[in-house]
Amino acid sequence: MQTLNRKLIRELRHTRGQSLAIAAVVASGVAVFVMALGTLGTLRSSRDAYYERYRFADVFASLRRAPTAILPRIATLPGVARVQTRIVSDVTLDVPELDEPAVGRLISLPEVGEPVLNAVYLRRGRLPEPGRASEVLASEAFVEANTLDVGDTLQAVMNGRLQELRIVGVAISPEYIFQLRGGDLLPDDRRFGVFWVSQRQMEAAFDMEGAFNDVSLRLAGGARSEPVIEALDRLLKPYGSIGAIDREDHVSARFVADEIKQLRATAVVAPSIFLGVATFLLNVVLSRQIGTQREIIATLKAFGYSDAAVAWHYLKSAILVALFGAVLGAAGGLYLGRGLARLYAEFYHFPSLISRIDWRIVLAGVSLSVLAAVAGSYRAIYQVMRLMPAEAMRPAAPARYRQSWLERLGLTPWIPLTARMVLRGLQRRPLNSLLSSLGISAAVAVLLVGNFAPDALDYLLEFQFERAQRHDVQVAFYEVASPSAAYDLRHLPGVQTAETFRAVPVKLRFRHRSYRTSIMGLGQRRDLYRLLDVDGRAIPLPPAGLVLSDKLAELLAVREGETVTVEVLEGEEPVREVVVSGLAVEYAGTTAYMDRQALHRLMGEADTLNGAFLAVDPGQLETLYRELKETPQIASVAVKSATVEQFRETVAKNQLTMQSFMVFFAAVIAIGVVYNTARISLEERSRELATMRVIGFTRSEVSAILLGELAVLTSLAIPLGWAIGYGLCYAMVRGFETEMFRIPLVIHPESFAFAALVTVLAAAASGFWIHRQIGQLDLVAVLKSSE
Amino acid sequence: MSRAPASPPSDVHARQVVFRVRGATKVYPMGEVEVQALRGIDLDLYAGEFTVLLGPSGSGKSTLLNILGGLDQPTGGSVFYRELELSGASNRQLTQFRRHAVGFVFQFYNLIPSLTAWENVSLVTEVASDPMSPLEALRLVGLEDRRDHFPAQLSGGQQQRVAIARAIAKRPDVLLCDEPTGALDALTGITVLEAIQRINTELGTTTAVITHNAAIGEMSDRVVTIRDGRVAEDRRVAVKTPVAELRW
């Protein structure tokens, strides 16, 4: 056995180019596997520990105002373990160094002790001292985005009064791992921050003595959330609650859960591609090796080595290559995983990252690679087992060729001889050719998937924020306002147009399905907030019916022309039947739209509004912002362009890293497949290529045959890879789609071209390598052997 | 042992010298030792002549043929093909030499398995400057009816005859055959030798056949015996034996 091992090592060294190419593909697969699963483990255990230690609630409800006297009734609802009531309010902030107004979410902190639920983790500084007005804790994300720190102050418009907020501490909370306002599409840490203020100060500022407007529950062990939510909704409805949600629907919790879901998908999809390619490569390389070693195999068997011993000898070489790749990949995966976890820690603001190496994941990754090696060797090993010693001593039967199907179509005279050699060579082993093409197409697909996210995001931002929503600023009032408010808005500095809206919370019902959302009542003459159909054409609002966002229609399973029941959750709470008269394409949110006058009629109310979309003269933005910051009636100001800009920047930065990874991985696959295919082809055909060289063909003419074969395989692989990549993108779109957020399946033509180009370049590099090896063919030696 | 090349027979005295070899040596480094394959060969081959290079395995005859065919270059001495000095030619020149002047026939046929008989011949005629038609070449070796067969569908003798057709289709100046019957039984070998002889007589192609089979020498004009890397004997064949009567 010792000698056989020596043979093994020498042969591996001899074919190191091929072995390394395969090992690199295995390494990529194992690296992604270990990285994704490792990060997933870190993220999940960090999150779970965070939720547990800081008592993240299970059920959340916000309401208009309820007396603290009802607290015992909430606490005694069946299934409720703990209750935390708070005062929560969004206010307009004036942040130093920030022109536009920001939004601050103020959350009350108990005067004494820690909150029962949704505790905060103090990063630095101290808690606000009871009795000292204006002291706040600020969220870390906001503080970092605005380069603020303990000791800095901000101005806030609280309940119509301008007040100073002094940052005494910086904190994070499990409630705001991902800091996003409900209904917002994009996170913007600069313009949205969370602040914790003492209970007494909140009561004073918002006239909420002995009252609360936010409640969180911790469920008793084993209790389900649905019945609790139902009971809570019944209890809180008179106090202006529009319905409680559980953790699954909590914005921040859902974002983190989605991220974990994505990592899990990555951990399955990417390694499958890489290990699949590696399996195929081992299959062809080992089959070829066994083809050339028939005599050696026969000799070994003749000397008394058992079938199993000989088979194990060859299997070992495949396993060694895979193991080598797996060890490299595992090390790389652990390294990348640590980097990724650090990135997450920075992005999500965890108190601490629970990051330890999970050897089970490493072991699983290595085992998978060994499994791929065994699967890849199966065919070759089977051949070894079956080979009789005497049979192996005879040379293999000569290769049988046929005319290719192109020639049988009668095209022969137009196909040059070398092209015929290429076509017949490919057709002699259709399965191998197909697999080679499939292998290369994996590279194309990986590249396409890598480019898909920015393309889709680009399209989404353009569609949503340039073609549909064309306003610069959206303002919302604290209270329902009279039409005169619109007049005031129009006369603010720089405001060119103001289009007002009326938003009403509703529950829509269709057959057995229902969905809670809001109806936006919009004016008939609109230019700033448009509803678009699939082709990007503006949809006019009908005089009476509803226009639903396409996702909302899907959730309700309702089609155009059908009638839904509208249960208004505000004012007189009327219930009405309304026809769905149109569907609007939207990639975020699940809003219903209606003509504003029709909405007023439905509500039985006079002309009122909740806010407006503004188009602003860019030169006067600063003046406008200053004015808005000090307007007490305004609850929030959303500055669209700044938010979109910031988001684009963040994405662009991440994208570059992502893209270089994808290009690297794709190149590993493309080079791995093309180089191995070409090497095998070169070995199998060295005799005929040398013959051609001997009878006077130049190196280039001979190379053309091998390179032609690669060119055909690569050109087949490109459309195939496009199709596979498109399919993967489709799967991603479906997989990542949530009620709040959809990704359009849009891939730019440039991305298709880029995927093809990188693959062709990688293939060309391998081709050049092969071309050089043809120059080193030993003409004389090849002709002397009888194959 | 004569170091001087055999002079041409009187009736071909006016014939041109096609190959002129002087003091050719060849040393192969084989790992740590050096193998002296040729130890100083002097030889002239004349236009239209059918020469058999005879010698046991390891005598250096294949090395000599490879050098004559432009596949290899001598370590020392000079080798001329007409005016071209093969011993100093560049890779590109050697390729052009092989492309236009030489027809090769190998022991193991070396047909391209993915091309039919006709296409194997066309492979050469397509790059040659004044070729015959592939069909004509196949007719010369008696295989015109097998033109559309792939190598795997032909017997060993038939494959070798296709190889001969491929070698002569470009009307080469010289035909070099390396143990052309080595892989064949005697009866099949005869048909192959007949084809080679026919080419030599009908087209007047200078032909050199290397073999370890002394019987084959009797059908040629001249037998050069190589031993230990030197010319051991160089004799004219007075009475040529018809190929069909050769026995081994």
Side-chain angles (χ1 to χ4, degrees), chain A residues 420 424 687 701 783-784, chain B residues 98-99 110 114 119 178:
Chain A
R420 283 183 225 174
R424 291 172 193 173
R687 191 181 175 75
E701 284 164 336
L783 300 180
K784 280 290 160 193
Chain B
R98 294 199 301 266
R99 189 169 190 144
N110 288 23
S114 61
E119 287 166 341
D178 186 354

Side-chain angles (χ1 to χ4, degrees), chain A residues 630-690:
Chain A
E630 285 158 16
T631 309
Q633 297 86 350
I634 287 175
S636 73
V637 177
V639 181
K640 196 193 71 186
S641 55
T643 303
V644 173
E645 211 38 57
Q646 178 133 352
F647 186 72
R648 268 191 210 274
E649 257 170 48
T650 319
V651 168
K653 222 168 20 190
N654 291 341
Q655 196 47 44
L656 210 64
T657 326
M658 187 72 183
Q659 193 125 5
S660 26
F661 266 107
M662 287 294 184
V663 169
F664 173 76
F665 282 141
V668 165
I669 291 182
I671 290 177
V673 176
V674 174
Y675 178 70
N676 269 298
T677 308
R679 264 308 293 259
I680 287 165
S681 206
L682 178 65
E683 265 169 51
E684 282 182 342
R685 304 175 127 192
S686 59
R687 191 181 175 75
E688 72 184 67
L689 298 178

Side-chain angles (χ1 to χ4, degrees), chain A residues 269-283:
Chain A
V269 174
S272 307
I273 293 177
F274 285 109
L275 293 181
V277 171
T279 302
F280 150 72
L281 287 178
L282 282 167
N283 185 330

Side-chain angles (χ1 to χ4, degrees), chain A residues 399 401-403 417 420-421 424 687-688 691-698 701 780 783-786, chain B residues 62 66 71 95 98-99 104 106 108 110 112-115 119 122-124 126 150 152 166 170 178:
Chain A
Y401 286 88
R402 295 183 302 149
Q403 295 197 318
L417 276 180
R420 283 183 225 174
M421 289 174 72
R424 291 172 193 173
R687 191 181 175 75
E688 72 184 67
T691 304
M692 292 184 70
R693 287 283 284 133
V694 167
I695 62 181
F697 281 80
T698 62
E701 284 164 336
V780 176
L783 300 180
K784 280 290 160 193
S785 71
S786 63
Chain B
S62 287
N66 290 337
L71 291 178
T95 300
R98 294 199 301 266
R99 189 169 190 144
F104 273 105
F106 312 98
F108 299 108
N110 288 23
I112 309 293
S114 61
L115 297 180
E119 287 166 341
S122 305
L123 194 63
V124 171
E126 282 181 3
F150 282 97
R166 179 178 67 180
K170 63 173 131 176
D178 186 354

Side-chain angles (χ1 to χ4, degrees), chain A residues 185 459-460 463-464 550 585-589 740-744:
Chain A
L185 176 56
Y459 180 83
L460 185 153
F463 185 94
Q464 197 87 10
D550 47 357
V585 175
E586 284 190 332
Y587 294 108
M740 288 308 299
F741 194 84
R742 275 87 60 193
I743 305 166

